[in-house]
Amino acid sequence: MLHQESLHSAYQPNSAHQPISVSRPPQPAETAQKPLPAALTKTGVQHRYSRNSEIYGEGEPIENVYLVVSGAVRTYKLLSDGRRQIGDFHIQGDVFGLEVGDERQFTAEAIADSVVIVASRSAVVSMASSDAALASALWNHTAKDLKRAQDHLLLLGRKRAQERVATFLLDMAGRNRADIVVELPMSRQDIADYLGLTIETVSRTLTRLEDDAAIEIPSSRRIVLSDKRALRRLNA
């Protein structure tokens, strides 16, 4: 269930951002070789977003697709009573904002100072009409997003707190291609709003996992997965 804490006082986004006039920013080789990131890199322009600044808002027309060059982004909905549900996190190399329909269903916001490539959706779709590899990449990306949304629904609806936190840590390790050390760009509040828990429950659960020797917590943003097998059992 969504937690009951109001975020009106704690959450105040800053919508200011500064564009950078670079149309073909450098990308890691493995990212640039992938059809979808490569298309965005070719057609898009870099923008720099400061921490907590809005990239796009719920209800706005869908005009662009985005690629995270550095930093991290969260997508979320704010409910009428001030509760926030985070739909997903996007880290370096992730493409986001490729939604179906004409209007945004979520708000996207920079978690930390971030550089994001902004590309026209219509330009990317036009390229895909004559590029089979890009068309396939767009389909695969949509299918992957749907799978992540389904997994998130299962997590929110059926898993207990400890299982949710274990699932989240393993997911972030996989996305960061980390062995055992996971660097988290997001705050405990962000994690709570993603997992549908209170921040107190997240902190208490992390402490319990540390007491059970499943993880170590050198700092608030760094988690060492000491016993992945134990975490996988919770994630089963």
Side-chain angles (χ1 to χ4, degrees), residues 190-211:
D190 286 334
I191 297 171
D193 290 347
Y194 176 70
L195 297 178
L197 301 170
T198 65
I199 189 171
E200 293 82 9
T201 300
V202 169
S203 297
R204 187 166 56 248
T205 303
L206 287 170
T207 299
R208 180 177 176 183
L209 289 172
E210 187 173 36
D211 291 342

Side-chain angles (χ1 to χ4, degrees), residues 20 42 48 54 68 75 128 133 140 159 172 206 215 221 227 233:
I20 304 174
K42 180 178 180 180
R48 188 180 302 275
E54 185 178 285
V68 181
T75 52
N140 289 335
K159 292 191 175 185
M172 290 304 300
L206 287 170
I215 65 172
R221 299 298 178 94
D227 190 346
R233 284 197 296 269

Side-chain angles (χ1 to χ4, degrees), residues 111-125:
I111 294 174
D113 292 346
S114 303
V115 176
V116 176
I117 293 175
V118 182
S120 165
R121 182 176 72 163
S122 60
V124 174
V125 171

Side-chain angles (χ1 to χ4, degrees), residues 98-117:
L98 193 60
E99 299 180 47
V100 176
D102 298 321
E103 291 187 353
R104 294 290 181 193
Q105 300 301 307
F106 288 82
T107 295
E109 185 178 83
I111 294 174
D113 292 346
S114 303
V115 176
V116 176
I117 293 175

Side-chain angles (χ1 to χ4, degrees), residues 8-219:
H8 282 310
S9 58
Y11 169 70
Q12 295 186 11
N14 174 12
S15 61
H17 64 269
Q18 296 180 334
I20 304 174
S21 57
V22 179
S23 59
R24 289 187 172 93
Q27 289 289 295
E30 62 182 46
T31 298
Q33 290 172 358
K34 296 177 181 179
L36 186 52
L40 270 64
T41 300
K42 180 178 180 180
T43 63
V45 177
Q46 279 190 351
H47 287 252
R48 188 180 302 275
Y49 296 91
S50 59
R51 178 176 176 269
N52 290 334
S53 63
E54 185 178 285
I55 299 170
Y56 58 75
E58 181 179 352
E60 291 181 359
I62 300 176
E63 297 175 342
N64 299 312
V65 187
Y66 305 81
L67 170 66
V68 181
V69 177
S70 64
V73 173
R74 58 188 164 233
T75 52
Y76 68 90
K77 280 181 173 288
L78 273 181
L79 304 184
S80 59
D81 60 0
R83 290 176 297 164
R84 179 179 66 167
Q85 177 63 55
I86 290 180
D88 209 347
F89 298 109
H90 306 281
I91 58 177
Q92 184 178 14
D94 283 352
V95 173
F96 69 98
L98 193 60
E99 299 180 47
V100 176
D102 298 321
E103 291 187 353
R104 294 290 181 193
Q105 300 301 307
F106 288 82
T107 295
E109 185 178 83
I111 294 174
D113 292 346
S114 303
V115 176
V116 176
I117 293 175
V118 182
S120 165
R121 182 176 72 163
S122 60
V124 174
V125 171
S126 178
M127 289 177 63
S129 65
S130 58
D131 185 333
L134 177 56
S136 177
L138 284 169
W139 170 260
N140 289 335
H141 178 81
T142 302
K144 181 181 176 182
D145 275 358
L146 177 59
K147 176 64 164 56
R148 285 191 62 82
Q150 291 171 334
D151 289 344
H152 195 203
L153 283 173
L154 175 63
L155 177 148
L156 293 173
R158 293 296 181 183
K159 292 191 175 185
R160 296 171 296 182
Q162 199 168 16
E163 295 169 335
R164 296 185 196 189
V165 172
T167 299
F168 170 76
L169 293 175
L170 289 171
D171 178 53
M172 290 304 300
R175 295 175 67 185
N176 281 294
R177 299 183 181 179
D179 182 16
I180 61 171
V181 180
V182 181
E183 302 287 348
L184 299 175
M186 67 287 295
S187 67
R188 293 285 190 270
Q189 185 67 68
D190 286 334
I191 297 171
D193 290 347
Y194 176 70
L195 297 178
L197 301 170
T198 65
I199 189 171
E200 293 82 9
T201 300
V202 169
S203 297
R204 187 166 56 248
T205 303
L206 287 170
T207 299
R208 180 177 176 183
L209 289 172
E210 187 173 36
D211 291 342
D212 291 342
I215 65 172
E216 297 175 21
I217 310 176
S219 68

